[in-house]
Amino acid sequence: MNAVPERPRVAVHEGVLELEQPLSLHFGGELRDVRVAWRLVGNPAAPVIAALGGISAGRAVVDTEQEKGWWRDIIGPGRALDSSDYRILGIDFLGGSGGTTGPHAGQNDFPSIASQDQAEILRRVLEHLKLERLEAIVGASYGGMVALAFAERWPGLVARIVVISAAHRPHPMATAWRSVQRAVVRYAAQNEQGAEGLRLARALAMATYRSPAEFEQRFAGPATRVDGRFQFPVESYLLARGDAYAAAYVPEAFVCLSESIDLHQVDPANIRVPTWLVAVVEDQLVPLSDMRMLRHSVSGPVQLVELSSLYGHDAFLKETQALREVFTRALSPTGDMK
């Protein structure tokens, strides 16, 4: 009987950085006793790439023996971004539900957080780890906004950025959807039903992450009776996703980071590091026109890749082969800028 080969051990270095001084915030005020949870995975001799995702993502980027990574289908040994060649740095976002400082359940006075504040805590982690420079920041969705904010302020600390489905500012239609989601959570929390509000907000959010074409393929079936009323296939899917999310995240943290997306603003003219942009034609949240506008406004070398995907805004979680090609070109010694 052949023995099952052991999965190779992955070097994991992680911790919580406790800031000794109050953190001054982009929109004013400060936070005291800030803690920043981080994780660095990979060969200690390899260059470092920071991988940042949506507001639900955190420091667990790639699979380890203890935990599954949120970007494990894209980043890992032999994956689209091969973690055998790089160390992957992840952080928990400020204001979120992870190990970094954020609001607790029922707290409604946590300050507004900017993408620039997330960039600042990333810089503090680099300083703490004595990393002179990142090989790249690969950011998707909210993480892409943070990558842009970081490149605008500290171009000397990163060789290049890869920004997937994130622009220099939010589109008003996307802000409209998110504003309603936050209103649902706030209203429910006022009535001591924060988790139920988060469940419904996440269900609504899921409808904006994917494309109409995907929903047509998956959920065009007839309604069925559930507890004496009709329930539609897409309704069951969205509410199930909402249930799972509400079980794992703090409602007030969702509101904080959702608002942070809509407060995001950088000046592309100040971005001079080599920049790769990835846009998805079917993305309902970040229109192709915004990504093209960003490409024309960035001052440094820039390349825009336009993908078509049924997964819409969630393509960064699914489109393995397309992203493999992007990462191969973007992370080559010359960056393949033309």
Side-chain angles (χ1 to χ4, degrees):
M1 185 175 186
N2 295 330
V4 176
E6 290 187 11
R7 189 169 67 176
R9 291 180 176 272
V10 178
V12 178
H13 184 39
E14 63 182 330
V16 176
L17 169 62
E18 298 185 3
L19 303 188
E20 296 180 357
Q21 301 296 325
L23 178 68
S24 297
L25 299 175
H26 182 77
F27 293 116
E30 61 184 25
L31 271 177
R32 296 180 177 274
D33 303 319
V34 171
R35 296 162 52 87
V36 184
W38 56 270
R39 178 178 293 172
L40 191 58
V41 179
N43 182 348
V48 177
I49 291 177
L52 310 174
I55 64 173
S56 305
R59 67 187 187 277
V61 179
V62 299
D63 284 349
T64 65
E65 292 181 343
Q66 293 76 30
E67 192 173 8
K68 289 185 177 181
W70 64 265
W71 221 353
R72 61 186 174 276
D73 292 335
I74 302 297
I75 302 180
R79 305 290 174 132
L81 197 166
D82 196 335
S83 63
S84 302
D85 299 326
Y86 302 97
R87 280 182 290 170
I88 305 300
L89 174 63
I91 64 170
D92 288 351
F93 287 129
L94 188 68
S97 299
T100 296
T101 298
H104 56 73
Q107 182 179 3
N108 56 20
D109 61 351
F110 197 83
S112 295
I113 299 298
S115 53
Q116 286 83 357
D117 298 321
Q118 309 292 1
E120 171 65 17
I121 66 167
L122 176 59
R123 185 193 69 82
R124 298 288 187 98
V125 170
L126 300 185
E127 185 177 68
H128 173 68
L129 296 175
K130 297 180 171 55
L131 297 173
E132 294 184 0
R133 194 183 194 210
L134 289 168
E135 183 67 22
I137 301 175
V138 176
S141 190
Y142 184 57
M145 297 177 179
V146 176
L148 291 166
F150 190 100
E152 180 183 33
R153 188 168 180 186
W154 295 292
L157 296 182
V158 62
R160 72 203 76 189
I161 59 174
V162 182
V163 176
I164 307 167
S165 291
H168 51 296
R169 49 85 164 163
H171 192 279
M173 180 57 77
T175 298
W177 286 322
R178 284 187 292 263
S179 296
V180 173
Q181 294 164 29
R182 294 193 294 272
V184 168
V185 176
R186 289 182 176 125
Y187 178 80
Q190 289 171 1
N191 292 279
E192 300 182 351
Q193 295 289 325
E196 177 63 14
L198 184 57
R199 169 183 181 254
L200 296 176
R202 180 65 174 184
L204 175 57
M206 287 299 302
T208 70
Y209 295 158
R210 300 299 182 90
S211 72
E214 184 197 10
F215 276 25
E216 171 68 22
Q217 285 188 9
R218 294 178 62 184
F219 305 118
T224 56
R225 286 190 182 273
V226 178
D227 295 331
R229 70 171 183 83
F230 283 110
Q231 188 170 81
F232 301 90
V234 70
E235 179 183 5
S236 301
Y237 166 78
L238 293 176
L239 292 177
R241 300 284 66 75
D243 284 334
Y245 194 85
Y249 294 91
V250 177
E252 290 76 12
F254 170 85
V255 170
C256 177
L257 293 183
S258 171
E259 178 192 66
S260 186
I261 293 175
D262 289 322
L263 291 170
H264 169 70
Q265 200 81 230
V266 299
D267 184 351
N270 293 331
I271 297 175
R272 296 180 174 84
V273 305
T275 299
W276 276 78
L277 304 174
V278 181
V280 179
V281 175
E282 294 82 2
D283 192 337
Q284 299 185 87
L285 293 175
V286 186
L288 180 58
S289 57
D290 278 7
M291 297 299 288
R292 288 175 175 173
M293 185 188 309
L294 176 58
R295 176 192 61 189
H296 289 304
S297 303
V298 168
S299 292
V302 61
Q303 186 81 279
L304 172 64
V305 177
E306 299 180 6
L307 306 179
S308 178
S309 174
L310 276 178
Y311 301 111
H313 189 72
D314 272 356
F316 72 90
L317 296 169
K318 300 288 189 178
E319 295 294 352
T320 302
Q321 186 54 42
L323 290 178
R324 183 188 300 276
E325 295 172 7
V326 170
F327 293 143
T328 297
R329 295 171 63 190
L331 298 174
S332 68
T334 62
D336 195 24
M337 290 287 182
K338 296 180 181 179

